[in-house]
């Protein structure tokens, strides 16, 4: 499916969307192992990123306490990044648990 607009230069047509290609390729409801692996690797990457941010924040906090840190702003920014990322991970987890509970409450 491609849409084009006549009379407008520099505007390309709209190509097939990801959910349209999935329906055409394997039918609705088909589980693609590559997609499942991409989701798992995305979650793994997010958790590794969170661990790295928290580790950096902890190192800078120790440096600030011992007096080795030249710029306190670095420690504060690292702490804020780690905090916001943790809040995001917790919110995503909570939404996932809520979705799971909603699915479990559905009747067959």
């Amino acid at each position: 499916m491609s849409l084009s607009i006549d009379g407008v230069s520099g505007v390309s047509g709209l190509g097939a969307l990801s959910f349209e290609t999935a329906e055409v390729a394997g039918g609705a409801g088909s589980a693609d192992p590559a997609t499942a692996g991409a989701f798992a690797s995305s979650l793994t990457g997010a958790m590794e990123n969170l661990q790295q941010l928290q580790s950096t924040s902890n190192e800078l906090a120790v440096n600030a306490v011992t007096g080795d840190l030249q710029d306190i702003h670095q420690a504060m920014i690292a702490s804020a990044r780690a905090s916001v990322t943790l809040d995001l991970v917790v919110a995503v987890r909570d939404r996932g648990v809520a979705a799971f509970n909603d699915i479990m409450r559905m009747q067959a």
Side-chain angles (χ1 to χ4, degrees):
M1 177 177 153
S2 177
L3 300 175
S4 63
I5 300 173
D6 295 330
V8 178
S9 62
V11 177
S12 62
L14 178 63
L17 301 175
S18 61
F19 63 85
E20 292 175 336
T21 56
E23 287 179 10
V24 172
S30 66
D32 184 14
T35 305
F39 180 71
S41 65
S42 176
L43 285 179
T44 302
M47 295 307 294
E48 289 172 356
N49 185 27
L50 174 63
Q51 284 181 324
Q52 180 63 35
L53 287 172
Q54 288 181 335
S55 173
T56 302
S57 175
N58 289 340
E59 289 174 16
L60 290 174
V62 168
N63 287 343
V65 170
T66 59
D68 296 333
L69 187 64
Q70 298 299 322
D71 188 12
I72 192 67
H73 295 99
Q74 290 177 336
M76 295 305 298
I77 290 171
S79 175
R81 278 187 178 176
S83 176
V84 168
T85 304
L86 181 62
D87 290 344
L88 175 65
V89 169
V90 168
V92 169
R93 182 211 54 196
D94 290 345
R95 296 288 290 202
V97 169
F100 175 78
N101 287 334
D102 289 344
I103 290 171
M104 294 306 291
R105 278 190 232 122
M106 288 182 184
Q107 295 181 2

